[in-house]
Amino acid sequence: MHQKIRQGGSPDDYCTITLLNSDYKILARIVEGRIRPALVEMLHESQHYGVPGKSIFDAVATVRDAAAYAEMANAPLCVLSLDYKKAFDKISHKYLSKILQSYGFSDALLKCIENMYTNATWVVQINGHISGPIPIQGSIVRDAR
């Protein structure tokens, strides 16, 4: 089945695909494996995303239980939903490093994470034409200092 491709349009009309080499993926998985066990202690109990043993269904159950309690107790209830979709993309590398350091992660692990971002670039391919390397600066906020 062929999709009809519209000419023009906005960048939001295009789907991004991230392709990383195998070495990077292996390194990222190792770093994740070192950090993941500490997440349970680091994150607030109300945090669901990224916490081992929790899922989005736990968040839904929490909202359901709060609504049921408010109804039984005849108490007012306010549910606030925040969209943190791009929150990670706005975190400064320096800030992230300081937070991880404050939780006792080793300098070697922090250096490894820093090296994963240093000199990172991306390219754009449109209709078979590939751009030159573009430094990653816009999606992750880097400290000016």
Side-chain angles (χ1 to χ4, degrees):
M1 182 158 140
H2 296 292
Q3 280 187 310
K4 185 175 179 182
I5 299 175
R6 286 186 4 216
Q7 295 295 322
S10 76
D12 290 339
D13 294 336
Y14 293 91
C15 177
T16 59
I17 300 173
T18 303
L19 303 174
L20 303 169
N21 68 35
S22 296
D23 296 341
Y24 188 93
K25 290 178 182 180
I26 291 169
L27 179 60
R29 189 65 85 170
I30 291 169
V31 168
E32 177 201 6
R34 299 245 173 118
I35 292 174
R36 184 167 285 284
L39 287 179
V40 175
E41 294 175 26
M42 292 170 58
L43 299 175
H44 190 271
E45 64 186 35
S46 66
Q47 175 74 31
H48 296 284
Y49 181 77
V51 178
K54 288 192 175 185
S55 76
I56 189 65
F57 299 113
D58 296 314
V60 172
T62 299
V63 172
R64 182 200 61 217
D65 293 346
Y69 172 79
E71 186 175 339
M72 285 179 19
N74 198 24
L77 174 69
C78 175
V79 176
L80 174 65
S81 175
L82 301 175
D83 182 5
Y84 290 108
K85 180 179 172 184
K86 296 184 180 185
F88 181 76
D89 291 342
K90 305 297 184 206
I91 295 176
S92 142
H93 292 161
K94 193 177 209 178
Y95 176 75
L96 179 60
S97 181
K98 286 187 183 287
I99 293 297
L100 292 174
Q101 189 176 35
S102 75
Y103 279 100
F105 289 102
S106 71
D107 289 339
L109 181 64
L110 298 177
K111 185 67 175 169
C112 181
I113 294 170
E114 179 183 324
N115 287 337
M116 292 173 73
Y117 291 114
T118 302
N119 298 323
T121 60
W122 59 283
V123 297
V124 176
Q125 178 179 357
I126 298 176
N127 298 330
H129 300 284
I130 299 175
S131 73
I134 302 167
I136 295 177
Q137 295 175 356
S139 65
I140 304 286
V141 177
R142 291 192 177 235
D143 293 311
R145 291 178 255 165

